[in-house]
């Protein structure tokens, strides 16, 4: 009984193997014949005109109807090879619109096809390009920063950016919209000393075709310990009526200000000019004068006057 079953099993295995081999042979015979089909091939471009730049990304694939064996047709569908298109011979259409005739590059594209793959025809015969004139522009650099300072420390002068403007190149239509370039974020916490370092300029998205002349700029920031100072000084009264004198109460004002510790001894009453305008008080029906700081030293920060109102009596 076992011998009979073993014989049947061998016959079944042989039949299955024969069937599989037949299917494989039939499949290979079919795939070795010529077929045609449409494949979307990825493409890149070379030799664009030097005086023009892409303002929009052109087609990144092109559909081509090919003839080849079944094996190679399947291979092309699964993994199409990238083709390079020569864009030196493009045709003008209007202002920024250009086009390229793919059919004129059939021979060059055929040479890039895998062996045994024949180009039959192109589904679309032209590729559109949106090209702008190459433009050069100088724009200011804008620092993007996040600074915090240790207690009592401040910037002693405006942050220095070198260079403060840079050259950018790109399509005219895009450069016309650019008024500045930004740096990457410069973040510093609890600063208590001056800094001097390079910071990268933020790049534009690659699709814009805008190029920046410099990749880094130098940032300098003078940071010092600050202190508070006070000074008392007289003030001037302007626009008094002819022949009149005035008595004010008080006769001096106090100025409170912040200044870098290294400059503290450089400040004196002559560093300030305080004025009150009698006409302004009269025109606004005010019974007092308003003192204002007209001049002060560039070293001074946050100067404040007290009192804010000056009583007065006009002597006839």
């Amino acid at each position: 009984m076992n011998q009979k079953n073993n014989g049947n099993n061998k016959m079944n295995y042989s039949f299955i193997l024969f069937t599989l081999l037949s299917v494989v042979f039939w499949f290979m015979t079919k795939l070795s014949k010529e077929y045609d089909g449409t494949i979307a091939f990825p493409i890149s471009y070379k030799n664009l005109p030097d005086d023009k730049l892409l303002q929009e990304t052109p087609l990144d694939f092109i559909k081509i109807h090919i003839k080849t064996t079944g094996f190679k047709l399947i291979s092309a569908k699964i993994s199409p090879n990238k083709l390079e298109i020569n864009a030196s011979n493009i045709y003008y259409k209007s202002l920024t619109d250009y086009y390229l005739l793919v059919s004129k590059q059939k021979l060059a594209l055929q040479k890039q096809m895998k062996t045994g793959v024949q180009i039959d025809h192109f589904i679309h015969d032209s590729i559109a390009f949106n090209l702008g004139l190459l433009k050069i522009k100088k724009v200011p650099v804008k620092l993007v920063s996040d600074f915090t300072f240790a207690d009592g420390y401040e910037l002693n002068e405006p942050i220095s950016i070198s260079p403060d403007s840079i050259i950018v190149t790109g399509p005219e239509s895009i450069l016309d919209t650019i008024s500045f370039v930004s740096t990457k974020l410069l973040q510093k916490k609890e600063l208590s000393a001056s800094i001097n370092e390079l910071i990268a300029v933020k790049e534009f998205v690659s699709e814009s075709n805008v190029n920046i002349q410099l990749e880094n700029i130098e940032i300098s920031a003078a940071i010092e310990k600050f202190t508070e100072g006070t000074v008392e000084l007289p003030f001037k009264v302007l626009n008094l009526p002819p022949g009149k004198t005035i008595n004010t109460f008080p006769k001096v004002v106090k100025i409170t200000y912040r200044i870098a510790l290294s400059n503290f001894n450089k400040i004196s009453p002559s560093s300030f000019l305080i004025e009150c305008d009698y006409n302004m008080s009269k025109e606004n029906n005010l019974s007092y004068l308003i003192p204002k700081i007209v001049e002060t030293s560039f070293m001074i920060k946050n100067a404040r006057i007290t009192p804010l109102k000056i009583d007065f009596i006009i002597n006839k």
Side-chain angles (χ1 to χ4, degrees), residues 108-288:
L109 293 173
Q110 180 61 60
K111 290 180 179 179
Q112 298 177 53
M113 290 291 177
K114 293 179 180 178
T115 304
V117 177
Q118 184 68 35
I119 294 177
D120 184 54
H121 65 272
F122 301 99
I123 302 303
H124 299 290
D125 190 49
S126 65
I127 298 176
F129 291 86
N130 189 334
L131 299 177
L133 291 174
L134 179 65
K135 186 176 180 181
I136 299 175
K137 185 176 182 180
K138 190 173 186 179
V139 294
V141 177
K142 181 179 179 181
L143 174 64
V144 180
S145 62
D146 178 18
F147 292 168
T148 62
F149 301 91
D151 288 343
Y153 286 85
E154 298 179 26
L155 282 170
N156 190 31
E157 56 189 48
I159 296 174
S160 170
I161 301 175
S162 180
D164 60 1
S165 57
I166 58 177
I167 299 295
V168 293
T169 60
E172 184 176 26
S173 62
I174 297 179
L175 255 61
D176 286 344
T177 68
I178 298 173
S179 56
F180 63 88
V181 294
S182 299
T183 67
K184 293 185 177 179
L185 176 64
L186 179 61
Q187 192 172 51
K188 298 289 182 181
K189 302 296 183 182
E190 297 298 308
L191 285 168
S192 60
S194 297
I195 59 173
N196 187 290
E197 58 184 85
L198 294 177
I199 182 75
V201 176
K202 191 179 295 183
E203 296 178 354
F204 292 89
V205 293
S206 58
E207 291 83 0
S208 69
N209 285 320
V210 174
N211 296 310
I212 301 174
Q213 185 185 52
L214 293 177
E215 295 181 355
N216 300 295
I217 60 170
E218 186 176 12
I219 302 297
S220 299
I223 297 167
E224 288 196 47
K225 181 79 171 179
F226 271 66
T227 188
E228 190 170 86
T230 59
V231 63
E232 290 190 345
L233 67 157
F235 50 86
K236 291 182 179 182
V237 179
L238 305 179
N239 298 315
L240 277 176
K244 303 293 183 179
T245 60
I246 189 170
N247 282 331
T248 61
F249 309 95
K251 297 187 179 299
V252 296
V253 293
K254 182 169 77 171
I255 307 296
T256 304
Y257 56 89
R258 289 184 62 76
I259 189 167
L261 201 58
S262 61
N263 294 327
F264 185 77
N265 293 327
K266 299 176 183 178
I267 300 301
S268 66
S270 62
S271 302
F272 301 89
L273 176 61
I274 312 299
E275 293 179 346
C276 299
D277 188 347
Y278 174 78
N279 273 350
M280 190 275 289
S281 296
K282 183 178 178 181
E283 290 170 0
N284 290 279
N285 295 317
L286 301 178
S287 61
Y288 52 84

